[in-house]
């Protein structure tokens, strides 16, 4: 019997903790001891609204138990992730059988139902049970505090950029990042790895912008003129940021929309937009067939990203972590529940 301590979001910013005995591991699933669970900007929406499940969706941990059927195969991938496997958690619970999953485009699963940390229990806990196929084993030479950045911060950034670059017949020369939170900084790091020569950034928050400039981006000073960037990456979800990306893009360029908010994404109704070729590219997560390439990116830029972003805290510090996160004091608090290795 495993005793678990987990965070609950009651709504209106209230976080409580619960300690329970866990049910046996379900067929096809494994139990992870959570070593690292990073806070994400999108968690703030759950914090305000409340969550019926344990939140936390940027999870790294170690497998401590597997369901019996998972070890005996059965197509669940359990044989890949035996006890002791160090892994990060792929949050879309993909079916593994549809036409998209068969091509490893698991983020496009046609039967996509739950996301871990959103519709089923996530990682702000000591332990979490996840489908075995959602555990991505981490190479031995990559620490879990770096590997966890392979999810939203680098995985999603790299996938979005790959999609945006695929629209461009010529190698993009100028890229703008609008919004310099953790994902924006991930986009800057990946764009550097991809060899984009001129990377610009803007953010109304001076501290966030300063971190982007320390990472090697240049400050975008002209936020009005048309025809400036081959790729404009919108990473905040704010109306103003979306308008800015649409304003400064080159004809034929790509606006990559990674930001999320509750506001609808609108196209401008002005003559200039009507008379411009432009791609609008949207993604929320990466497919599993990009994981190997992403480890290469992470080996190179992961440690410095971690040093720039991460602020380690204990699970019991979660309420303070969200306060410091919301205030912009810490860019990406990491909840470390075990000895991160
Ligand atoms: Zn996230
Ligand atoms: Zn599928």
């Amino acid at each position: 019997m495993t005793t678990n301590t987990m965070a609950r979001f009651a709504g209106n910013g209230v976080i409580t903790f619960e300690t329970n005995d866990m049910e046996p591991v379900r067929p096809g699933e494994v139990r992870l001891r959570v070593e690292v669970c990073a806070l994400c900007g999108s968690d703030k929406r759950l914090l305000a609204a409340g969550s019926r499940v344990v939140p936390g969706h940027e999870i790294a941990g170690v497998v401590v138990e597997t369901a019996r059927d998972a070890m005996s195969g059965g197509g669940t991938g359990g044989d890949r992730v035996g006890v002791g496997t160090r892994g990060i958690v792929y949050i879309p619970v993909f079916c593994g059988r549809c036409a998209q999953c068969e091509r490893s485009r698991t983020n496009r699963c046609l039967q996509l139902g739950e996301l871990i940390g959103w519709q089923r229990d996530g990682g702000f806990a000591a332990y979490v049970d996840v489908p075995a196929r959602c555990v991505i084993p981490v190479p031995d030479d990559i620490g879990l505090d770096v590997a966890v950045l392979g999810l939203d911060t680098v995985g999603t950034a790299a996938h979005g950029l790959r999609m945006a670059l695929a629209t461009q017949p010529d190698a993009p020369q100028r890229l703008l990042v609008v919004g310099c939170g953790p994902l924006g900084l991930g986009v800057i790091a990946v764009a550097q790895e991809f060899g984009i020569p001129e990377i610009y950034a803007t953010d109304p928050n001076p501290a966030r912008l300063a971190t982007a400039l320390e990472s090697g981006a240049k400050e975008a000073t002209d936020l009005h003129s048309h025809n400036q960037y081959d790729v404009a990456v919108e990473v905040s979800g704010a109306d103003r940021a979306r308008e800015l990306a649409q304003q400064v893009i080159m004809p034929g360029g790509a606006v990559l929309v990674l930001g999320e908010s509750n506001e609808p994404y609108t196209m401008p109704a002005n003559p200039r937009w009507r008379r411009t070729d432009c791609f609008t590219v949207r993604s929320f997560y990466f497919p599993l067939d990009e994981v190997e390439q992403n480890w290469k990116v992470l080996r190179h830029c992961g440690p410095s990203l971690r040093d720039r972003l991460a602020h380690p805290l204990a699970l019991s510090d979660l309420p303070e972590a969200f306060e410091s996160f919301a205030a912009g004091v810490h860019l990406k608090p990491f909840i470390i529940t075990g000895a991160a290795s």
Side-chain angles (χ1 to χ4, degrees), residues 11 13 98 104 121 244-245 301:
C98 72
S104 288
D121 285 349
L244 170 58
C301 72

Side-chain angles (χ1 to χ4, degrees), residues 23 26 37 47 49 66 90 104 125 138 153 174 181 184-185 207 233 265 327:
E23 299 287 323
R26 283 178 289 191
C37 189
L47 189 58
T66 61
Y90 189 77
S104 288
V138 174
T153 307
R174 288 168 60 90
L185 295 174
V233 190
Y265 182 84

Side-chain angles (χ1 to χ4, degrees), residues 40 42 57-58 152:
C40 176
S42 61
H57 63 264
E58 296 186 33
D152 298 35

Side-chain angles (χ1 to χ4, degrees), residues 48-71:
S51 174
R52 130 190 110 68
V53 302
V54 177
H57 63 264
E58 296 186 33
I59 308 165
V62 177
V63 176
V64 293
E65 199 179 331
T66 61
R68 261 191 225 118
D69 79 312
M71 284 311 286

Side-chain angles (χ1 to χ4, degrees), residues 55-285:
H57 63 264
E58 296 186 33
I59 308 165
V62 177
V63 176
V64 293
E65 199 179 331
T66 61
R68 261 191 225 118
D69 79 312
M71 284 311 286
S72 61
T76 59
D79 47 341
R80 263 183 334 115
V81 287
V83 169
T85 302
R86 301 159 68 248
I88 53 175
V89 176
Y90 189 77
I91 68 165
V93 182
F94 57 99
C95 77
R97 292 180 302 273
C98 72
Q100 296 284 1
C101 284
E102 274 177 3
R103 292 144 139 169
S104 288
R105 295 175 187 153
T106 42
N107 59 330
R108 299 182 186 175
C109 174
L110 301 174
Q111 316 289 337
L112 187 59
E114 297 178 316
L115 299 180
I116 295 167
W118 291 93
Q119 286 83 32
R120 60 171 286 159
D121 285 349
F124 290 138
Y127 296 92
V128 60
D129 288 359
V130 300
R133 64 183 180 282
C134 291
V135 176
I136 303 173
V138 174
D140 290 343
D141 63 318
I142 301 179
L144 289 180
D145 55 350
V146 169
V148 77
L149 296 171
L151 299 168
D152 298 35
T153 307
V154 162
T156 300
H159 179 59
L161 276 180
R162 287 183 186 111
M163 286 212 297
L165 299 191
T167 67
Q168 300 297 298
D170 307 312
Q173 297 300 303
R174 288 168 60 90
L175 175 138
L176 173 67
V177 177
V178 186
C180 301
L183 181 54
L185 295 174
V187 171
I188 291 169
V190 174
Q192 288 166 338
E193 295 294 320
F194 286 3
I196 296 176
E198 293 188 73
I199 301 165
Y200 290 81
T202 183
D203 194 298
N205 177 321
R208 285 186 171 214
L209 178 61
T211 309
L213 303 186
E214 283 164 25
S215 315
K218 296 177 210 166
E219 182 175 2
T221 48
D222 179 353
L223 304 181
H224 300 283
S225 302
H226 297 155
N227 308 336
Q228 294 191 68
Y229 297 99
D230 304 304
V231 178
V233 190
E234 191 289 295
V235 202
S236 86
D239 282 345
R240 176 70 198 103
R242 291 167 168 175
E243 285 162 16
L244 170 58
Q246 290 165 329
Q247 171 92 3
V248 298
I249 196 73
M250 283 277 194
V255 175
L256 171 58
V257 184
L258 296 178
E260 290 186 1
S261 72
N262 291 327
E263 299 306 311
Y265 182 84
T266 55
M267 297 276 181
N270 55 40
R272 195 270 170 171
W273 187 259
R274 281 188 210 124
R275 297 167 197 167
T276 297
D277 268 8
C278 185
F279 295 92
T280 297
V281 177
R282 161 73 190 158
S283 179
F284 85 106
Y285 216 69

